[in-house]
Amino acid sequence: MQVSRSLFDEVMVPNYAPSAVIPAKGLGSRVWDQNGREFIDFAGGIAVNCLGHCHPALVGALKEQADKLWHLSNVMTNEPALILAQKLVNATFAEKVYFANSGAEANEAALKLARRWAKNEVGEHKTQIIAFKQGFHGRTFFTVTVGGQPAYSDGFGPKPADIVHAEYNNLASFEALISDNTCAVMLEPLQGEGGIITPTKEFIQGVAALCKKHNALMIFDEVQSGVGRTGELYAYMGLGVVPDILTTAKALGGGFPIGAMLTTTAIAKHLVVGTHGSTYGGNPLACAVGIAAFDTVNTPEVLNGVKQREQLFREGLTAINAKYDVFSEIRGQGLLIGAALNDKYQGKARDFMLAAADEGLMMLVAGYSVIRMTPSLIIPEADIAEGFKRLEKAVAKMVQA
Ligand SMILES: Cc1ncc(COP(=O)(O)O)c(C=O)c1O
């Protein structure tokens, strides 16, 4: 069956506005559309394709598992889930793992666990959740309400209650909200969707100290920043703090849907049998791919390579800016990079993204005025160089327009 973009408008719910291009094949950091037109991929499926497209280790793991066992449900556990959980426990602060299918689901589990922990440990009154403006935590009704953009949660009826928002990187604004009634604080240790905002160490450490003082749990949403994206396995590892709960998804499966919530034994014990669950969470196919992705990313070679590639991206953006004067700031960490457009191009991030696509480069936006790049963690240098050639052509056209 031949399909085209117009079919989207006929048969799909109109909550997305996808590009006119329909990619049909990918390999490494290159993608080809239905007509064989090639793109360099600086988008990485929004920080998901951490090893590019069709990495042999992931393809091999999926094929091998596909011949063994696909699904059981959580009535029985399975080998890949146990192995992946053991690896996550070995590599992080965590002692316990809960598997979900997406970032939002991992966050939903984290928030429910925090509420249950507070109720059991302290009392019914300890329900307040503090999150941060511009933060993003997913699209379930609880997580989207915890997210810091009310426009995303407005218009769906009564919202989950007792959720407030502080200013990111502003400790005073956080301190003004926290109290002994606070059950948890949820934050991204590098805001992604909100515009690629790196936290200061003082802010993060101040949040951690206040959580301790008020006996509130600190939940790090590492759905975008985790699995090597910042050059650390998880971003918290570079910040001098340890969260109580951490959520991870996106790159965890390198493109196969999986999410996880990590925590300690003392906190996890409140999610007793029957309190939470998921039919597919911990699915053998997803976990088998997750093991391969985790083993491949969690090596000094890949993690150090992220930092080297960050330099190449910064140099590429800086060189374009020196010639065309379009960015006010190049920011982010590792391969979660944002270039904020200067005053002249406010609100035009999407136009830059579309111009880049016209030149054969896939990239992203973060809000209306920041272009975002979250490529494969192992994108070859030659693809970075070619991508920047294409980006320069796109920027030249935008500047002339
Ligand atoms: C920080 C963060 N948390 C949660 C989510 C939601 O993840 P998912 O779309 O897999 O539900 C995202 C997605 O962009 C994210 O960036």
Side-chain angles (χ1 to χ4, degrees):
M1 181 181 173
Q2 268 294 94
V3 293
S4 66
R5 172 62 178 79
S6 60
L7 187 60
F8 182 95
D9 298 328
E10 284 176 42
V11 299
M12 302 284 270
V13 168
N15 62 317
Y16 301 119
S19 142
V21 173
I22 302 187
K25 185 170 147 21
L27 190 64
S29 285
R30 303 216 175 200
V31 169
W32 292 267
D33 77 2
Q34 291 172 309
N35 306 317
R37 194 168 157 231
E38 183 217 71
F39 293 81
I40 300 281
D41 187 1
F42 280 5
I46 320 188
V48 166
N49 301 109
C50 57
L51 297 169
H53 299 273
C54 295
H55 188 282
L58 306 195
V59 173
L62 184 59
K63 284 186 172 165
E64 197 185 323
Q65 189 60 40
D67 281 333
K68 280 191 196 160
L69 185 70
W70 282 35
H71 177 75
L72 291 163
S73 91
N74 287 295
V75 174
M76 286 182 182
T77 189
N78 66 77
E79 290 174 348
L82 294 172
I83 294 167
L84 182 57
Q86 181 69 68
K87 285 177 186 288
L88 289 165
V89 164
N90 289 350
T92 67
F93 75 98
E95 296 161 327
K96 292 281 193 278
V97 176
Y98 166 83
F99 284 120
N101 309 290
S102 65
E105 281 185 34
N107 284 335
E108 185 82 19
L111 294 164
K112 282 179 71 179
L113 171 58
R115 283 261 175 92
R116 186 55 70 100
W117 165 86
K119 175 180 174 289
N120 290 352
E121 291 280 336
V122 183
E124 298 273 356
H125 62 285
K126 194 172 174 71
T127 54
Q128 187 198 46
I129 289 163
I130 305 180
F132 292 89
K133 291 182 184 166
Q134 308 308 323
F136 186 79
H137 302 296
R139 295 286 198 159
T140 64
F141 205 23
F142 199 173
T143 60
V144 81
T145 308
V146 171
Q149 296 207 50
Y152 290 166
S153 54
D154 288 348
F156 296 102
K159 296 184 187 185
D162 211 6
I163 298 165
V164 294
H165 297 90
E167 304 273 343
Y168 198 73
N169 266 339
N170 179 340
L171 195 58
S173 114
F174 175 69
E175 193 164 11
L177 293 176
I178 194 166
S179 75
D180 289 348
N181 292 337
T182 306
C183 103
V185 175
M186 179 171 263
L187 63 84
E188 294 159 86
L190 197 172
Q191 277 194 337
E193 306 293 314
I196 318 295
I197 312 293
T198 306
T200 64
K201 273 197 177 170
E202 299 72 54
F203 170 68
I204 289 285
Q205 290 174 3
V207 168
L210 285 164
C211 283
K212 198 154 257 159
K213 181 174 163 196
H214 292 285
N215 191 23
L217 299 182
M218 188 164 72
I219 306 171
F220 273 15
D221 175 346
E222 294 234 26
V223 168
Q224 190 154 167
S225 62
V227 196
R229 179 65 41 197
T230 64
E232 308 280 350
L233 180 62
Y234 284 98
Y236 83 85
M237 294 170 174
L239 289 167
V241 295
V242 178
D244 299 295
I245 302 175
L246 181 150
T247 55
T248 176
K250 287 191 183 274
L252 188 61
F256 201 97
I258 181 169
M261 175 189 73
L262 315 184
T263 189
T264 63
T265 303
I267 298 167
K269 74 175 189 216
H270 295 283
L271 227 42
V272 296
V273 172
T275 47
H276 194 58
S278 153
T279 294
Y280 283 121
N283 168 279
L285 288 170
C287 291
V289 179
I291 292 166
F294 190 83
D295 283 346
T296 311
V297 169
N298 192 24
T299 58
E301 188 195 339
V302 170
L303 296 176
N304 293 335
V306 169
K307 290 174 186 158
Q308 286 155 11
R309 286 170 176 78
E310 174 184 359
Q311 280 319 309
L312 297 177
F313 273 82
R314 285 183 177 272
E315 282 163 25
L317 287 164
T318 304
I320 286 176
N321 205 29
K323 220 161 155 186
Y324 300 96
D325 189 23
V326 284
F327 307 129
S328 59
E329 193 186 0
I330 294 155
R331 60 198 190 209
Q333 205 192 331
L335 289 173
L336 182 43
I337 296 189
L341 295 169
N342 66 21
D343 285 347
K344 205 165 154 204
Y345 300 100
Q346 283 304 291
K348 292 224 152 62
R350 191 175 149 79
D351 297 336
F352 275 81
M353 181 182 79
L354 295 176
D358 283 346
E359 299 301 329
L361 173 68
M362 291 160 60
M363 60 178 199
L364 303 163
V365 302
Y368 298 110
S369 302
V370 179
I371 63 171
R372 173 172 38 155
M373 296 170 175
T374 56
S376 158
L377 305 182
I378 56 167
I379 181 171
E381 282 191 24
D383 290 357
I384 300 176
E386 177 60 27
F388 274 104
K389 269 195 208 153
R390 297 180 189 190
L391 181 60
E392 178 167 351
K393 282 191 200 154
V395 170
K397 283 194 182 152
M398 284 298 296
V399 168
Q400 279 154 20

